[in-house]
């Protein structure tokens, strides 16, 4: 069933949590300096010091993950260090799993029963989100065997029930209006009117290392319960005050992949290309996760373009975008751009000329990225996929059968 394949996509999304390297760095700090746990604000100050200390480098106690901590503090403008070069073994392992997963999905022989194979040895800190929202488009297929193209993926707060019932206390962070969440983190950035018993001060929070899962866990002393911060999205996480950003990125159950899916598909391909590189289509059961792609220096294609494109083995319909060489060298996480790609059909002289102008306008070190165009123009659907456990808890809470 398609729902089984979409649930496999949900489990695969556990690898794409952009905050996971930061959580692993926090786990290293706790394991090294606070094996019995720490007050939240004490840990927060320790992270600030560890991130900028000159001794926290690859030649010093690098297992504390100073780079991952600095990347969190500086946000999207932080200098890029590929995960494979991290001082943390757990982060390097995460990079290996991401590369291997995409390679597995590109073999072209992955069926619904094979979907769990690359997930069998994933460590406990790679946790699938309980719910995801998939933006999908139907693909033409054999009658009775529908297929879907995954255009986008979102996870985290807002993709499941408004009041998740999982035994944890859920507290909203950085909101500016009424919330469906019962508790709120008490901070001047919050302007709601929650009663004192529903407000959780930062001084009431402690952090312990869950050694089974390998991630830090936030707890409330007064409520004697685990606390999960939820960010309703009133403001981007990057614009939250530093301490609230720390809460969201360090202790949410799962963050949205945070950037276009095609940039995740380039994992392991962040070296500037010298020739033409091809990435096969990535499929999981009957779901296409990644379109086939070609990328190469923008000045590679000769004239006439139609002949050059045929020599590369490109389909006659594709999407094209140019990417700055300096951004490409800094890694796929810098490649997300809001500008829509150019649609090209090589049988159309007008579209082919538009593509030629795109190439002529590229800088010498720019990279040209082409993705195959699949299916036909039609409606895009948003599907919420929830884990079996979350469905059971929701049904029990609502009395559904």
């Amino acid at each position: 069933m398609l729902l089984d394949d979409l649930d496999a996509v949900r489990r695969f999304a556990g690898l794409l949590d952009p905050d996971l390297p930061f959580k692993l760095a926090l786990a290293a700090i706790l394991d090294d300096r606070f094996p019995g746990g720490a007050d939240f604000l004490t840990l927060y100050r320790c992270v600030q010091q560890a991130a900028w200390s000159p001794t926290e480098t690859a030649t010093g106690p690098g297992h504390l993950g100073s780079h991952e901590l600095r990347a969190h503090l500086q946000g999207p403008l932080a200098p890029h260090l590929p995960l494979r070069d991290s001082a943390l073994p757990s982060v390097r392992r995460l990079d290996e799993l991401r590369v291997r997963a995409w390679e597995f999905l590109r073999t072209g022989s992955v069926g619904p029963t094979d979907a769990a194979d690359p997930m069998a040895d994933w460590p406990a800190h790679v946790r699938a989100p309980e719910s995801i929202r998939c933006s999908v488009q139907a693909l033409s297929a054999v009658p009775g065997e529908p297929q879907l193209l995954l255009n986008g993926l979102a996870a985290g707060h807002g993709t499941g029930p408004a009041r998740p019932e999982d035994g944890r206390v859920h507290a909203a962070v950085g909101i500016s209006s009424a919330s469906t969440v019962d508790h709120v983190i008490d901070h001047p950035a919050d302007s709601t009117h929650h009663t004192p018993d529903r407000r959780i001060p930062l001084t009431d929070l402690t952090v312990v290392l869950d050694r089974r899962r390998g991630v830090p866990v936030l707890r409330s002393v007064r409520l004697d319960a685990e606390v999960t911060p939820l960010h309703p999205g009133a403001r981007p996480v990057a614009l939250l005050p530093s301490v609230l950003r720390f809460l969201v990125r360090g202790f949410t159950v799962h963050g949205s992949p945070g950037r276009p899916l095609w940039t995740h598909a380039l994992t392991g391909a962040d070296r500037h290309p010298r020739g033409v590189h091809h990435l096969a289509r990535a499929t999981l059961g009957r779901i296409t996760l990644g379109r086939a792609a070609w990328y190469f220096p923008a000045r590679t294609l000769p004239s006439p373009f139609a002949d050059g494109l045929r020599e590369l083995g490109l389909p006659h319909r594709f999407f094209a975008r140019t990417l700055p060489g300096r951004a490409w060298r800094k890694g796929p996480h810098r490649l997300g751009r809001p500008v829509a790609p150019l649609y090209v059909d090589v049988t159309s002289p007008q579209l082919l000329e538009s593509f030629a102008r795109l190439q002529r306008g590229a800088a010498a070190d720019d990279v040209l990225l082409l993705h195959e165009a699949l299916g036909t123009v039609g409606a895009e659907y948003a599907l919420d996929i929830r884990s079996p456990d979350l469905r059971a808890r929701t049904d029990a809470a609502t009395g559904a059968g």
Side-chain angles (χ1 to χ4, degrees), residues 25-393:
L26 290 183
I29 287 276
L30 285 168
D31 188 43
D32 184 85
R33 299 184 179 178
F34 307 104
D39 294 338
F40 170 77
L41 290 176
T42 298
L43 177 65
Y44 176 67
R45 287 190 291 267
C46 179
V47 166
Q48 302 282 336
Q49 295 168 359
W52 303 110
S53 171
T55 62
E56 305 293 350
T57 64
T59 58
H63 66 284
L64 297 183
S66 57
H67 172 78
E68 285 74 18
L69 300 178
R70 283 197 300 272
H72 155 71
L73 295 173
Q74 290 181 297
L77 299 180
H80 175 60
L81 177 73
L83 296 186
R84 61 176 175 268
D85 296 332
S86 172
L88 287 171
S90 56
V91 175
R92 295 197 301 271
R93 174 63 174 159
L94 174 63
D95 180 69
E96 293 174 3
L97 292 175
R98 288 178 175 178
V99 172
R100 193 178 71 183
W102 281 108
E103 290 175 348
F104 180 83
L105 295 172
R106 288 195 177 100
T107 61
S109 59
V110 183
T113 59
D114 303 323
D117 286 355
M119 309 178 194
D121 63 344
W122 286 0
H125 56 251
V126 180
R127 293 182 292 166
E130 289 196 316
S131 62
I132 59 173
R133 179 162 296 162
C134 299
S135 299
V136 299
Q137 181 180 347
L139 293 179
S140 57
V142 179
E145 297 184 10
Q147 297 182 11
L148 296 178
L149 170 65
L150 183 66
N151 289 329
L153 176 66
H157 183 56
T159 62
R163 292 175 179 267
E165 301 292 341
D166 56 5
R168 296 188 296 261
V169 172
H170 295 81
V173 175
I175 59 178
S176 57
S177 60
S179 171
T180 58
V181 181
D182 287 336
H183 292 80
V184 63
I185 299 297
D186 196 1
H187 188 274
D190 165 46
S191 60
T192 57
H193 302 287
H194 285 74
T195 57
D197 62 314
R198 295 297 184 180
R199 305 179 77 88
I200 302 177
L202 295 176
T203 53
D204 179 54
L205 297 173
T206 62
V207 184
V208 296
L209 175 60
D210 186 328
R211 296 187 180 277
R212 182 180 62 84
R213 291 183 287 176
V215 293
V217 173
L218 197 66
R219 293 191 63 84
S220 165
V221 175
R222 177 173 61 87
L223 301 175
D224 189 23
E226 182 177 338
V227 176
T228 298
L230 298 179
H231 179 238
R235 279 190 291 173
V237 175
L239 298 182
L240 291 176
S242 175
V243 68
L244 297 186
R245 192 165 66 246
F246 183 92
L247 273 170
V248 172
R249 289 183 167 160
F251 303 98
T252 49
V253 175
H254 195 282
S256 177
R259 64 178 196 256
L261 204 63
W262 60 266
T263 63
H264 291 278
L266 292 172
T267 296
D270 56 352
R271 302 297 186 189
H272 197 280
R274 295 182 179 274
V276 178
H277 295 257
H278 171 57
L279 298 175
R281 185 184 302 173
T283 59
L284 185 55
R286 284 151 290 199
I287 313 297
T288 296
L289 274 72
R291 305 166 187 258
W294 292 257
Y295 62 96
F296 44 86
R299 301 292 179 86
T300 295
L301 279 179
S303 183
F305 288 104
D307 295 337
L309 294 172
R310 279 193 294 269
E311 291 175 3
L312 295 180
L314 264 73
H316 72 277
R317 297 185 301 119
F318 57 87
F319 295 100
R321 51 166 59 87
T322 56
L323 301 168
R326 62 183 181 278
W328 185 282
R329 287 189 293 272
K330 291 179 180 178
H333 76 296
R334 293 289 178 86
L335 297 178
R337 300 178 69 186
V339 179
L342 175 69
Y343 173 74
V344 180
D345 186 333
V346 298
T347 63
S348 168
Q350 293 85 358
L351 293 177
L352 204 57
E353 175 57 29
S354 296
F355 178 57
R357 288 198 300 270
L358 178 72
Q359 190 203 28
R360 288 196 297 266
D365 67 338
D366 283 358
V367 175
L368 193 59
L369 177 65
L370 311 180
H371 281 108
E372 63 178 337
L374 297 175
T376 58
V377 177
E380 184 178 71
Y381 302 92
L383 303 178
D384 279 356
I385 307 300
R386 295 178 290 166
S387 70
D389 289 343
L390 181 58
R391 289 198 299 269
R393 294 198 305 268

